[in-house]
Amino acid sequence: GAVVSQHPSRVICKSGTSVKIECRSLDFQATTMFWYRQFPKQSLMLMATSNEGSKATYEQGVEKDKFLINHASLTLSTLTVTSAHPEDSSFYICSARGAGLGGGAGETQYFGPGTRLLVL
Amino acid sequence: QKEVEQDPGPLSVPEGAIVSLNCTYSNSAFQYFMWYRQYSRKGPELLMYTYSSGNKEDGRFTAQVDKSSKYISLFIRDSQPSDSATYLCAMKGGSSASKIIFGSGTRLSIRP
């Protein structure tokens, strides 16, 4: 149980284009989804938190107009990197926290496999 | 001072050894404590979670939380080469609105 998928697993795009990454909770309802960015050999950096049906809350220093987050349903959140530039190249990971997981596990987060973005 | 401190390693041990991974923290409000394993170029995988103090065992893995010392540990018995990964400790407060705070991760290598 508690499986989170991400698509695509890797994407290469030209500078200036937009890229959409999908995050799905496959066997539970994700009341909250999180988007992280991870640079090589570094820990996870939280970018934003989104609750289903409401606007995302962005961390300090993260441009909300550049990283558009939509959490339209309890099983799907999307991150769109708009006008991507080479410095946006990174490993983007979503995670989800939700109901029905039992035993206090609703307080934990389950991560997707990540999306590697390379902007040329 | 970071809220969560974790030695980045790398830590290299021979196969079969007992591995001890640790984190310290400063925020006494943390109630939930997690350990994640992350293989290279993959997302973190939840290994263990513990609420408040105490021990929890799952197969070869044991998680310990000592809230009085603000210290958590993960022990791996009979370590295998497949355990080679980065291990991230993580913790959060009791309210559902609180965020998970991650350690920087310890890179572990098990030598065959």
Side-chain angles (χ1 to χ4, degrees):
Chain A
V3 177
V4 176
S5 71
Q6 255 180 270
H7 178 79
S9 58
R10 53 190 306 197
V11 57
I12 300 173
C13 69
K14 292 182 180 179
S15 185
T17 60
S18 294
V19 175
K20 181 186 280 188
I21 303 169
E22 289 188 351
C23 176
R24 294 180 185 272
S25 56
L26 298 185
D27 51 2
F28 66 102
Q29 293 185 325
T31 50
T32 307
M33 284 186 166
F34 306 84
W35 287 94
Y36 293 84
R37 183 164 51 183
Q38 187 178 37
F39 292 104
K41 298 188 179 180
Q42 294 187 27
S43 192
L44 303 156
M45 186 190 82
L46 180 65
M47 298 175 67
T49 302
S50 73
N51 293 297
E52 184 264 339
S54 60
K55 289 185 179 179
T57 302
Y58 290 81
E59 295 299 299
Q60 195 170 17
V62 178
E63 299 175 60
K64 62 180 181 182
D65 294 330
K66 181 168 184 64
F67 299 99
L68 301 178
I69 291 171
N70 184 287
H71 190 166
S73 77
L74 284 171
T75 60
L76 173 65
S77 176
T78 59
L79 167 68
T80 302
V81 183
T82 62
S83 188
H85 290 287
E87 58 265 31
D88 298 323
S89 299
S90 189
F91 192 47
Y92 292 86
I93 311 173
C94 73
S95 74
R97 186 176 70 197
L101 294 171
E107 294 295 333
T108 64
Q109 290 175 211
Y110 295 87
F111 285 83
T115 296
R116 191 161 300 280
L117 171 63
L118 176 61
V119 185
L120 302 176
Chain B
Q1 183 189 7
K2 289 183 182 177
E3 277 193 285
V4 179
E5 297 275 3
Q6 184 175 10
D7 187 333
L11 178 63
S12 179
V13 302
E15 184 175 355
I18 296 175
V19 175
S20 172
L21 303 168
N22 313 292
C23 287
T24 58
Y25 63 95
S26 58
N27 190 342
S28 57
F30 288 143
Q31 296 286 338
Y32 293 91
F33 303 89
M34 284 76 73
W35 285 96
Y36 288 87
R37 177 175 61 196
Q38 186 176 23
Y39 291 113
S40 181
R41 298 174 181 265
K42 300 288 184 184
E45 168 195 2
L46 179 65
L47 276 179
M48 306 279 283
Y49 77 90
T50 310
Y51 174 69
S52 195
S53 280
N55 294 358
K56 188 171 186 178
E57 187 174 319
D58 184 1
R60 296 184 295 111
F61 298 91
T62 300
Q64 285 186 352
V65 175
D66 182 350
K67 290 187 71 180
S68 62
S69 302
K70 296 190 179 67
Y71 188 88
I72 70 170
S73 301
L74 177 71
F75 297 96
I76 307 174
R77 292 184 298 280
D78 187 24
S79 56
Q80 305 293 312
S82 59
D83 295 328
S84 299
T86 295
Y87 290 80
L88 297 148
C89 65
M91 44 200 82
K92 72 179 291 290
S95 93
S96 56
S98 59
K99 299 173 196 171
I100 286 185
I101 307 298
F102 287 90
S104 55
T106 300
R107 284 192 294 135
L108 173 65
S109 175
I110 308 297
R111 307 188 301 269

